[in-house]
Amino acid sequence: MSQTVDRALRILPLLAEGPANLEQVAARLGVHKSTALRLLRTLHEHGMVYRQQDQRYRLGTRLFALAQQAAENLDVREIAHPHLAALNERCGHTVHLAVYEDGEVLYIDKVESRYPVRMYSRIGKPVAITVAAVAKLLLADLPEPERRAVAERLDYPAYTARSTPNAAAYLDELATVREQGWATDFGGHEESINCIGAPVRGTDGRTVAACSVSAPNVVVGTGELLELLPLLRRTADAISAEYSGTTPPPPSVRK
């Protein structure tokens, strides 16, 4: 039975490359055409493959429906948390995870700093969208027309002298973030707090969440914080890989 399942599952990536006829499927599996036909018929009955009028087989719509359902049920917070905790253990600073929903960027997870000086951010609380590193990452990945529309309708509070002043400056920042693949907030929201962020990506390469490391400047300067960027980016990549199902879930952040 396990051999039958294995053969059936090997058909799916073959058809993902494009439609194939019975002879091609049999040759790829290294089996007789009658065996390949039984497998294809079973997959067809379950909607996993579809037989075209030219007698070639392609992936079925049921497979795409299952994939979409699985993607919708993924909980990025649940997947990310062990990685965020491992990152916090390594660096000691506050770690956040944020998503973009209904025009707001929200924190959905937080691991507190081990230091006495802590941030007042809360899970479920919107971030300062025009300055926060996680917000820049999430908005930078929006399609250009949507990105521009969002930037132009935002207010730009002057939280500090380093706050983003207007839509034009914000769009320039987002362009930089898109190009370099990471973001910073060095005193843009609070003079004393610095932050670096990296994107978490889904199977299509789009940003589904953003994680960050934040610290007061009395604990660590911007230079030292930037030294943590490779570690943060590896953490974000590990979360992305597990979320996308491209690698086994790594238990911790490695050097």
Side-chain angles (χ1 to χ4, degrees):
M1 178 62 71
S2 61
Q3 185 182 51
T4 301
V5 173
D6 177 72
R7 286 172 173 169
L9 291 176
R10 286 166 55 197
I11 290 174
L12 300 179
L14 165 62
L15 299 185
E17 298 172 5
N21 59 31
L22 177 61
E23 289 76 12
Q24 290 170 320
V25 173
R28 177 68 70 88
L29 295 181
V31 299
H32 193 273
K33 286 194 293 184
S34 61
T35 300
L37 182 59
R38 285 197 300 272
L39 295 170
L40 286 165
R41 282 176 174 170
T42 300
L43 291 170
H44 184 272
E45 289 171 4
H46 290 275
M48 301 299 176
V49 305
Y50 177 78
R51 187 181 183 185
Q52 302 177 158
Q53 289 186 347
D54 62 2
Q55 308 306 309
R56 293 189 301 166
Y57 294 85
R58 62 168 171 81
L59 294 179
T61 55
R62 175 63 176 160
L63 190 63
F64 295 111
L66 288 173
Q68 179 64 30
Q69 185 178 359
E72 290 173 353
N73 288 331
L74 283 175
D75 185 344
V76 68
R77 180 183 182 276
E78 181 179 352
I79 291 170
H81 186 79
H83 299 276
L84 302 180
L87 174 60
N88 170 266
E89 181 68 23
R90 288 283 303 278
C91 71
H93 304 305
T94 301
V95 177
H96 288 106
L97 183 71
V99 295
Y100 181 63
E101 290 183 357
D102 299 325
E104 291 185 320
V105 176
L106 305 171
Y107 289 128
I108 60 171
D109 202 4
K110 177 184 181 182
V111 185
E112 288 280 8
S113 166
R114 72 166 69 112
Y115 300 103
V117 182
R118 296 188 174 186
M119 295 180 62
Y120 292 102
S121 56
R122 297 193 308 272
I123 295 175
K125 180 181 178 182
V127 310
I129 197 169
T130 58
V131 292
V134 289
K136 294 172 190 176
L137 287 160
L138 291 161
L139 268 62
D141 199 54
L142 295 175
E144 196 277 335
E146 184 179 356
R147 186 167 70 248
R148 182 169 296 276
V150 170
E152 290 176 350
R153 69 170 177 258
L154 290 174
D155 295 324
Y156 291 85
Y159 300 108
T160 75
R162 298 181 181 179
S163 298
T164 308
N166 52 50
Y170 196 45
L171 287 168
D172 285 344
E173 276 197 78
L174 297 185
T176 299
V177 169
R178 281 178 67 86
E179 182 176 351
Q180 67 189 15
W182 50 276
T184 63
D185 170 16
F186 290 158
H189 186 221
E190 298 178 59
E191 289 278 6
S192 61
I193 301 294
N194 297 315
C195 178
I196 54 174
V200 174
R201 302 187 186 277
T203 53
D204 58 359
R206 299 296 303 274
T207 300
V208 296
C211 57
S212 65
V213 174
S214 303
N217 54 24
V218 296
V219 173
V220 60
T222 57
E224 287 182 86
L225 193 61
L226 282 171
E227 289 177 2
L228 294 173
L229 185 59
L231 178 61
L232 172 63
R233 297 186 76 178
R234 287 197 296 272
T235 299
D237 289 345
I239 298 168
S240 300
E242 187 174 346
Y243 182 82
S244 302
T246 55
T247 63
S252 62
V253 179
R254 296 179 175 85
K255 292 183 179 180

